[in-house]
Every structure is written in C-alpha cells, then in structure tokens.
Amino acid sequence: MSFLRPFEGYLVAPASVAEIVAPPSDTMTPLERRRCADANPRSYLNAMRDAFDGDDDDIDADADVQIDPDPRRRAAILEGNRCFVQGYIDRGDFIPQPPCLFIYRLRLGSHSQYGVVGEIALESLRRGRIKRHEHTRLSREAALADYLDKVRFASSPVCLAFRSETDHGSAIRAMMEARTHRDPLISFTDPDGVSHTIWRIEGSAAQGLIRAFERVPEVYITDGHHRCAALERAAGGLKGSNEARLLAALFPADALRILPYHRLLRDLGPRFDTRPDELLRHLAQIGEGSSGQGKGVDTASSNAADPRALPAKQARPKKPKEYALFLDERWYRFRFPPSPDRPPISGDGIDGSEDPAGALDVSILQRDILDPIFEIADPRSDPRLGYVAAKPSEKAGEGMAHLADACRSGWRAAIALHAVTIDDLIRVADAGAVMPPKSTWFDPKPRSGFFLHRPLRKLKDSGV
C-alpha cells in the first residue's frame, strides 16, 4: 500500500468558501470560538462546537479539560455537529471529488508555502514513519476521538514536513510547482490576510507524486499531534488498521515558518513579586544582560546591577540563548545562565547536542528560570503561566505590542523567546525525544472548511 493515498471526499464549493472556511480553532479561546461561530452561522466552527466551549475567556485554547460535562449534553452537541456537516453536503456547499490530490498554497505577505493534500493510512503512524515531537493529553485525545466516532467527518489537515534538500524532496517540490500554472479551483484571502489557493491533481500527475513520496523515508508532524492520537483511539475497535486514514497536508520542511511561543506570568513568584528591581538584577547576574548600546545586542550589560530598559524592537531576541522580559511597562533583554552540562548552541539551532530537547531555549527557560526563580514547576498545569504565539511581524523585526497588551490586561510580566528551527524539531523527533509544551508556532496555518473526508472507513486501492 502506498504511503500517500488519494483524497476521497469533498471540497468546499467556491461560492461558499468565504462563509464556511474557519480560522484555526486552536488559535482561539473557547469563548472566542463560540462568539465567532455565533456571529458566522455558516462557518465550519459550527460543526466543531464542543461541550467545553464556555464563558471563560481566560482558558488557553489548548487547555486540558477540567470539568466532565453532562454526557447527554455532549452527545446532543456532537449530534448537532454531525447534522451541521450533513447539511453542508445536502445543500451542495461541499462538492464530491474524484480520487485525487491537491496542491495547497498559503501566502502571507512575502511568505509562501506549497503543500500536497491527500490521505495517509493510520498504519504509517503506528510504524513510526510519521514522527512526533510532543506529548498529548488523554482528555483531549478522548474528546477528539469521540468527535470522530460520532460526527464521522474531519476537515482540519494534519500538517507534516518532509526534508526537501534530498533529491526526492527537490523532485516533489518541482512537481508541485509545475501544477500551479493552471487556474486553481479555490482562491481565497481570509480576514487575517492569508491567501489560500488550491489546485486539483489527477491521473498520471497524481500517481507521480504518490510514487515520489514512496522514496521519502519519514515525515514530521508540525501540527496535529492530538488529531493523530485521536484517530488511533477512535480506530482502536476496528478490525485492521487500514480502516482509518489521516487527512494530511505535506509541506517541504524548509518552506515552513516557525514563530516562537512566548510566556506570560501572573506574578513574579513569592520571592520577587514585591521586589521587581531585585528580580532584574538577579536575572542580569545569573546570565548576561544586554546593554542595548548601539548594535551591541550580544554584549553584556556594562552594569549588571542595573539592567537597562530597551525599546521593544531592540529587546526582541535575535538568536538562541537570548530572551526578553516585559515588566512594569519596560522591556529588557537577557541571556540564559551558562551551564557546564549544556553543549554550545550555534546561532542556527542545537546542532551537536546529545540532548536536543534539553538544549532548546524553551527547555532552558523552564529548567533555569521558571522553576527555580518563579516557582513554576509544571508548565502544563500551573495557572500562573500562560502562552501566547508570536505575531508574523516579529519575524520582520518589529516590536511585540501584543505581549505588552497582555500585561496591561492582567498578566504581570511577559517573556519573549527566540524561535525553534525546523532542524531543531527534526533532531528532537529523530532522537525520539519530546519538546516542552508550546514550543513551536507554525504560521500561516491551513484552515478548516476547505476539505471534508471520512477518517474511519475501509481503504480501497482506488486510482486517481
């Protein structure tokens, strides 16, 4: 059986795309999801309503479930989701497709990335050809598995990266780009300014791509660990792993853009909460505070006892081992404490580390700053710690106003990090290691509501 399989399902009708295509649900809090769905009655968000969507706007979009809802209420919500999707099909909002592949291009500003959309048998995940780098939460797995079991449709592709510097990777990239000179089936710019363009590939061109992916030894999950785990769980009672398949979008690794996940702090911990000036001096003393003088972003502060505030644009971390702190309306930049047990980290990532996950900035932050200084021992569950994704403008060297805004809305401080590289992610996954929670933010993200397929069904050797 081929690794990449033809897509068998539906594509949103061009006339319906503006009303149906939804923003990524994991970028919103439950309250934001509910409000967006209520305000857009045809949005695909209405097919993804969850019993945990509530009135608390302070819940992380990926937060673990804290309350066991009424099973009858949840069953009614899932049945409503199923009927909503079926209504799309009955009204012709989604159009049946012949067995095919799609080329999916996302463009935001000067950034552009092409990917292949198809289906992958669950067996490839179980055999390790699809590599992971994150833990999943059992409660979220269970909720998503229940959704698949009851609703029977999925629309959010699992995003996978493949090495493109190899001969077969370069060949796949060339094959993708060669198919984009025709008129697309879908061309849509969403309210966030992301341009989505979709082309369909059939016949010998699709078979050529399927054969080319046979030479790709492994791919890496960039977005969708919980969706993968949920499909494994939902398919657990089926006979034969070929009865389940993932909706997947495969992108060249070097075409993806990774932004950092920043941290928010409710307080400064019992030791420093009433002594912020002492905290600043302590961070400067254990690391290397930047003076911000001229272009000396890598130089130590001329007076570690009195760290100097910087404009936001200068405070932004320029390379690994640097982080910025926003506190009391001022930005500061520091370097992580040196460690004799930690190998040197180049400006390009964690090359050469025997512990690739432990050498990441997010790991160092937890081990050397959050735990011993702010007394945040468990980054998964401590309510004093929050997460906010970077904005694409940061990549262009602009400031971090959204972090400052968060601190003006109830958070005490913000810590900005440098981005993990795709090579870092691949090294961690190849080592069988796991990144800390909220280590990467891939932007732009594929939207829900373009594709519609059944993950749980018997696979057939259908042509394209």
Side-chain angles (χ1 to χ4, degrees):
M1 179 183 295
S2 300
F3 169 68
L4 178 64
R5 300 284 299 175
F7 174 88
E8 297 181 22
Y10 301 81
L11 183 70
V12 67
S16 302
V17 63
E19 292 182 292
I20 291 176
V21 169
S25 62
D26 61 354
T27 66
M28 297 183 285
T29 66
L31 180 58
E32 289 171 337
R33 285 197 299 268
R34 195 193 69 184
R35 286 176 171 171
C36 186
D38 290 344
N40 300 276
R42 281 171 48 78
S43 168
Y44 200 83
L45 284 175
N46 290 282
M48 298 188 291
R49 288 186 180 268
D50 191 277
F52 303 116
D53 285 1
D55 297 321
D56 190 351
D57 198 28
D58 195 36
I59 299 175
D60 182 10
D62 277 338
D64 208 354
V65 174
Q66 300 295 325
I67 300 173
D68 185 17
D70 181 351
R72 290 175 296 181
R73 176 172 173 262
R74 179 165 180 79
I77 290 172
L78 292 175
E79 175 62 15
N81 289 334
R82 188 195 68 78
C83 292
F84 203 92
V85 174
Q86 190 61 49
Y88 280 142
I89 297 171
D90 293 343
R91 290 189 302 270
D93 290 322
F94 281 83
I95 301 172
Q97 300 295 301
C100 63
L101 300 175
F102 295 101
I103 303 299
Y104 181 13
R105 184 185 70 195
L106 295 95
R107 178 177 288 168
L108 179 61
S110 61
H111 175 82
S112 180
Q113 62 191 58
Y114 293 83
V116 177
V117 175
E119 298 182 354
I120 296 176
L122 180 62
E123 188 65 19
S124 294
L125 180 68
R126 289 172 170 166
R127 291 181 176 178
R129 192 169 178 182
I130 300 175
K131 295 195 170 185
R132 319 181 203 212
H133 66 269
E134 288 182 2
H135 283 307
T136 54
R137 294 181 297 280
L138 295 180
S139 58
R140 184 157 174 78
E141 281 183 33
L144 291 174
D146 197 23
Y147 181 95
L148 294 178
D149 182 57
K150 301 298 192 301
V151 180
R152 312 299 288 183
F153 279 97
S155 183
S156 302
V158 171
C159 295
L160 305 171
F162 62 91
R163 293 180 182 270
S164 52
E165 71 274 12
T166 60
D167 290 342
H168 47 263
S170 298
I172 291 171
R173 185 195 291 270
M175 294 168 72
M176 286 194 298
E177 294 180 353
R179 307 305 299 180
T180 62
H181 299 299
R182 302 174 299 166
D183 290 337
L185 294 179
I186 299 290
S187 181
F188 168 67
T189 299
D190 67 30
D192 296 325
V194 180
S195 171
H196 305 262
T197 312
I198 298 173
W199 295 263
R200 186 173 63 211
I201 304 178
E202 303 175 78
S204 60
Q207 289 289 356
L209 270 171
I210 288 172
R211 287 193 297 270
F213 272 102
E214 288 303 293
R215 297 190 290 273
V216 175
E218 63 271 314
V219 295
Y220 301 85
I221 300 175
T222 61
D223 189 54
H225 284 82
H226 281 91
R227 274 163 275 162
C228 290
L231 183 58
E232 283 189 285
R233 181 185 286 247
L238 300 177
K239 295 181 179 179
S241 61
N242 290 347
E243 293 179 324
R245 60 174 106 176
L246 293 165
L247 174 62
L250 300 102
F251 294 94
D254 62 1
L256 297 173
R257 177 170 65 181
I258 304 181
L259 303 177
Y261 246 119
H262 303 314
R263 272 54 177 164
L264 300 171
L265 302 172
R266 282 293 183 199
D267 56 58
L268 306 181
R271 182 179 171 188
F272 293 109
D273 201 36
T274 60
R275 297 181 292 176
D277 291 341
E278 186 174 334
L279 169 67
L280 294 173
R281 288 192 291 270
H282 181 69
L283 293 175
Q285 290 165 0
I286 64 172
E288 298 178 63
S290 173
S291 67
Q293 294 176 342
K295 297 182 179 181
V297 297
D298 297 327
T299 60
S301 173
S302 57
N303 182 6
D306 185 22
R308 192 172 303 174
L310 299 171
K313 190 171 183 178
Q314 292 185 30
R316 184 179 63 88
K318 307 299 191 298
K319 59 185 178 181
K321 295 179 66 176
E322 289 185 350
Y323 67 97
L325 175 71
F326 184 78
L327 178 63
D328 294 339
E329 294 296 325
R330 295 180 180 178
W331 279 105
Y332 305 86
R333 190 172 69 245
F334 300 98
R335 292 174 64 83
F336 286 114
S339 171
D341 300 325
R342 189 167 67 241
I345 301 178
S346 70
D348 297 323
I350 54 174
D351 191 20
S353 172
E354 294 182 2
D355 178 12
L360 295 171
D361 281 3
V362 286
S363 298
I364 301 169
L365 174 70
Q366 177 59 40
R367 184 177 59 243
D368 295 349
I369 304 293
L370 294 182
D371 189 356
I373 296 176
F374 297 110
E375 299 189 16
I376 296 175
D378 185 353
R380 290 179 174 274
S381 62
D382 196 318
R384 297 165 52 230
L385 180 66
Y387 301 90
V388 60
K391 300 293 185 183
S393 59
E394 289 182 37
K395 198 75 174 180
E398 296 182 11
M400 299 165 286
H402 59 300
L403 296 179
D405 290 341
C407 290
R408 296 175 187 125
S409 300
W411 295 93
R412 181 73 171 86
I415 296 176
L417 297 169
H418 189 269
V420 170
T421 70
I422 190 65
D423 288 335
D424 292 341
L425 184 151
I426 288 174
R427 291 187 191 100
V428 170
D430 283 344
V434 175
M435 289 184 173
K438 305 293 187 184
S439 294
T440 58
W441 176 258
F442 286 85
D443 182 85
K445 286 175 174 283
R447 294 331 195 226
S448 299
F450 283 115
F451 311 100
L452 195 60
H453 91 134
R454 294 183 182 271
L456 301 171
R457 70 192 190 282
K458 188 68 177 178
L459 290 177
K460 302 183 295 292
D461 286 323
S462 55
V464 290

